[in-house]
Amino acid sequence: MKKLTISLTGFFFLLVSCKKDLDLAPISDISNASYWKTENDATGGLYGMYGRFRDQGQNLYYWGELRSQTTGNGVAGNNQYELEMYYNTLNSGSALPTWQGLYAVVHDANLLLKFVPEIPFISEQNKNNVLAQAHTMRAYCYFVMVKTWGDVVLIDEPMLGFDPIKVQRPRTPKAAVLAFIKKDLEEALALYPNNNYSTGRYIFSKPAANVLKGDVYLWTGKREGGGNADVTTALTALTEITKTDVTLLTNYAGIFDFANKGNKEVIFAIRHAEFESGELQPYQHMWLYPAYIPATIDDATKELLKGGNGNSVLEVEPHIQAQFTTDDARRDASFRVIYSYPNGVKTFYSSIIYKYHGTLIGGLRYWYDDRVMYRYGDVLLMIAEAKNALAQNPATEINMVRQRAYGANFAAHQFVNGTKETNDQAILKEKLLETAFEGKYWWDLLRFGKAFELVPSLKTRADKPYLELFPIVLSTLSIEPSVKQNAGY
């Protein structure tokens, strides 16, 4: 009896089970004869896909932000592979996150797309919704991989059993992969039955697929030769979000509040919960472990840091702190500066990420925050970016974001339309302020073409454009001999 196994170029993934409503027995151990027969099987496969995607959360931060140096070495020191990303000293021998975990998620999506069409559902809409989510997830994973490594291995069907011919595949040119992503998104958008969000907003929806479409077409329009045609497509997709049940929250900090998950600014998030998942990584790295909290801190800081349970390896870089004015509500909601008072003298000690600060359970702090992947504030700035690229006025969207950030002081920060170049500078900075530490700034820098200008560790290396991509690590090359290393590494 043939079993369903995940195999990418000789590597068989062990599919881990999730708890509670993300529970799913490992698909690898379930035969074709007994699985993919009922709607419940499809639902189990769908939530298993989300469970494995959640496992990639820390990697998404590393790929999408750590190289931009918004965070750096904490008071407890840092892991070598984090230092190599932070200082942009990557090489093929680095112990970096590999693409295998994303291919596990792609495999799940491929299984759903292969078997679900043949399963009887009570409602055809329900079936289409499952298929739409699988297309969206596959598109998202491939988009992350293209931005991270460029050309990647394109697999559009599940690998059932071990076939050395199918397993050993060379990388597909990124242009073909991006075309595949766009096709997946069109199929997804045609299948979603409506523009509704799910309770909690932690599964893909038609609005989330439209945000991803806007993200993809902004990337190809600005980096891959798509030009105004692709940027126009992005603007159209992003504008669709404004017609859905989404809004800017009045209170910026409330977007990330543990007690306010699934709020109306959220478009898509990765769910975390006690007894259901591990903690939100790497955000617990960015909190002070009790042993590293100095004795000479004030009472307010002691109250702030209570619960401990961090590990003090990442903190906010000073040049990032300096970007925020003191009247910006996003400053305190995003990070906090920690001072000690040796001999009564106020002295900088460290900084912590406050945007995801977890919750206290039994007196201890746990990071069960949902990871917000797409939200309305980010969408508004993507609309502004698209408008500016098309020589349209981006002021409306920028000022909507600033009005919330500065409140009564908004008049002093009101954006006025300028040249295309100065507008781009303003939009990129606004994206930093609005989405700091959400795992996106590195990709924003690449899209705007500013990584070598704004990242301190890259300012003297503009002659090495290959550094925009990650190397393919040796552990991957050793099991995928048809895959060739990125140029420069």
Side-chain angles (χ1 to χ4, degrees):
M1 185 179 294
K2 182 183 288 185
K3 291 186 176 181
L4 303 183
T5 59
I6 297 177
S7 57
L8 172 62
T9 58
F11 182 74
F12 287 81
F13 296 104
L14 177 64
L15 300 183
V16 297
S17 60
C18 307
K19 296 179 181 179
K20 287 195 174 179
D21 59 338
L22 293 183
D23 226 353
L24 179 66
I27 293 176
S28 298
D29 295 333
I30 301 173
S31 69
N32 278 328
S34 62
Y35 204 71
W36 303 114
K37 299 296 184 183
T38 69
E39 187 169 340
N40 284 339
D41 293 340
T43 302
L46 180 72
Y47 282 99
M49 176 184 74
Y50 282 108
R52 276 175 283 284
F53 180 60
R54 178 171 58 198
D55 292 340
Q56 296 304 300
Q58 177 166 293
N59 291 342
L60 290 170
Y61 182 86
Y62 288 160
W63 293 322
E65 180 127 1
L66 192 55
R67 294 188 62 193
S68 65
Q69 284 188 264
T70 55
T71 54
N73 207 22
V75 294
N78 213 322
N79 297 317
Q80 181 62 32
Y81 66 92
E82 289 177 339
L83 285 171
E84 289 177 347
M85 284 183 274
Y86 162 67
Y87 287 118
N88 285 292
T89 57
L90 310 179
N91 60 79
S92 61
S94 302
L96 302 171
T98 70
W99 61 33
Q100 270 80 9
L102 289 173
Y103 276 111
V105 182
V106 168
H107 177 80
D108 288 341
N110 285 338
L111 285 170
L112 289 163
L113 293 169
K114 179 177 178 63
F115 291 110
V116 168
E118 306 305 319
I119 296 175
F121 274 62
I122 295 174
S123 162
E124 195 68 17
Q125 280 194 347
N126 290 347
K127 175 187 284 190
N128 288 343
N129 195 31
V130 169
L131 293 170
Q133 291 177 65
H135 278 295
T136 309
M137 180 66 83
R138 187 169 68 178
Y140 186 91
C141 289
Y142 274 122
F143 187 42
V144 169
M145 287 193 274
V146 165
K147 291 187 292 183
T148 304
W149 293 284
D151 302 347
V152 295
V153 180
L154 182 60
I155 300 175
D156 62 356
E157 58 184 19
M159 292 189 177
L160 308 178
F162 179 79
D163 183 335
I165 296 176
K166 289 184 178 180
V167 160
Q168 298 297 338
R169 303 186 186 188
R171 298 161 74 187
T172 301
K174 63 181 177 180
V177 180
L178 286 164
F180 180 81
I181 291 168
K182 291 175 178 179
K183 179 175 179 291
D184 250 351
L185 287 171
E186 292 311 313
E187 293 184 24
L189 289 165
L191 285 164
Y192 281 111
N194 52 52
N195 260 330
N196 295 344
Y197 296 89
S198 66
T199 301
R201 305 193 179 205
Y202 52 80
I203 65 173
F204 278 117
S205 60
K206 189 171 186 176
N210 264 317
V211 180
L212 177 56
K213 181 178 178 179
D215 206 355
V216 169
Y217 276 86
L218 266 180
W219 184 270
T220 58
K222 297 180 73 173
R223 283 186 61 88
E224 303 297 336
N228 285 355
D230 277 13
V231 176
T232 299
T233 300
L235 181 57
T236 300
L238 294 165
T239 303
E240 286 297 310
I241 311 306
T242 66
K243 305 171 187 176
T244 67
D245 186 24
V246 68
T247 189
L248 284 181
L249 297 192
T250 303
N251 176 21
Y252 178 84
I255 305 166
F256 311 97
D257 193 328
F258 178 84
N260 198 30
K261 294 184 176 189
N263 60 74
K264 287 196 174 185
E265 182 152 343
V266 174
I267 296 169
F268 172 60
I270 297 177
R271 178 178 173 81
H272 285 264
E274 185 181 13
F275 304 126
E276 180 183 304
S277 67
E279 294 180 85
L280 181 62
Q281 297 185 12
Y283 294 96
Q284 80 276 30
H285 296 351
M286 306 175 191
W287 201 265
L288 289 182
Y289 186 69
Y292 289 98
I293 298 176
T296 57
I297 58 173
D298 57 41
D299 290 341
T301 304
K302 288 178 183 177
E303 180 68 17
L304 172 71
L305 296 175
K306 71 180 180 181
N309 214 26
N311 62 11
S312 313
V313 298
L314 290 172
E315 64 179 39
V316 184
E317 283 294 280
H319 72 278
I320 296 299
Q321 296 178 35
Q323 301 296 309
F324 291 81
T325 58
T326 56
D327 60 348
D328 188 338
R330 296 169 297 192
R331 186 181 192 277
D332 282 353
S334 298
F335 68 92
R336 299 292 176 89
V337 178
I338 307 300
Y339 295 95
S340 63
Y341 294 83
N343 301 316
V345 179
K346 184 178 181 180
T347 304
F348 171 79
Y349 178 71
S350 183
S351 58
I352 59 172
I353 303 297
Y354 194 74
K355 182 167 280 186
Y356 292 110
H357 61 269
T359 187
L360 293 173
I361 301 174
L364 292 177
R365 188 172 301 276
Y366 293 93
W367 280 262
Y368 293 130
D369 307 276
D370 283 0
R371 181 188 301 271
V372 179
M373 304 296 290
Y374 283 126
R375 60 182 180 82
Y376 193 43
D378 190 19
V379 167
L380 288 172
L381 293 178
M382 291 167 75
I383 290 173
E385 181 182 347
K387 281 186 171 182
N388 191 53
L390 296 170
Q392 299 177 27
N393 187 347
T396 297
E397 288 74 23
I398 296 172
N399 283 327
M400 287 174 68
V401 170
R402 289 189 178 184
Q403 206 154 18
R404 173 175 65 182
Y406 298 106
N409 292 330
F410 167 66
H413 299 277
Q414 186 169 359
F415 173 81
V416 177
N417 189 31
T419 67
K420 192 173 182 179
E421 182 179 355
T422 59
N423 287 353
D424 254 359
Q425 291 172 356
I427 293 165
L428 180 56
K429 181 176 179 179
E430 206 65 41
K431 286 187 70 66
L432 168 64
L433 301 176
E434 181 69 19
T435 66
F437 323 122
E438 294 178 36
K440 299 180 179 183
Y441 190 51
W442 173 250
W443 290 325
D444 288 339
L445 287 167
L446 294 183
R447 199 172 59 252
F448 279 83
K450 294 294 184 179
F452 291 96
E453 180 181 328
L454 297 178
V455 177
S457 63
L458 289 175
K459 286 184 176 180
T460 61
R461 290 188 270 176
D463 60 334
K464 298 178 180 178
Y466 69 87
L467 290 172
E468 291 185 341
L469 295 175
F470 277 65
I472 299 171
V473 299
L474 294 178
S475 62
T476 296
L477 295 174
S478 68
I479 60 174
E480 302 188 40
S482 296
V483 170
K484 304 304 178 186
Q485 181 60 272
N486 275 330
Y489 291 107

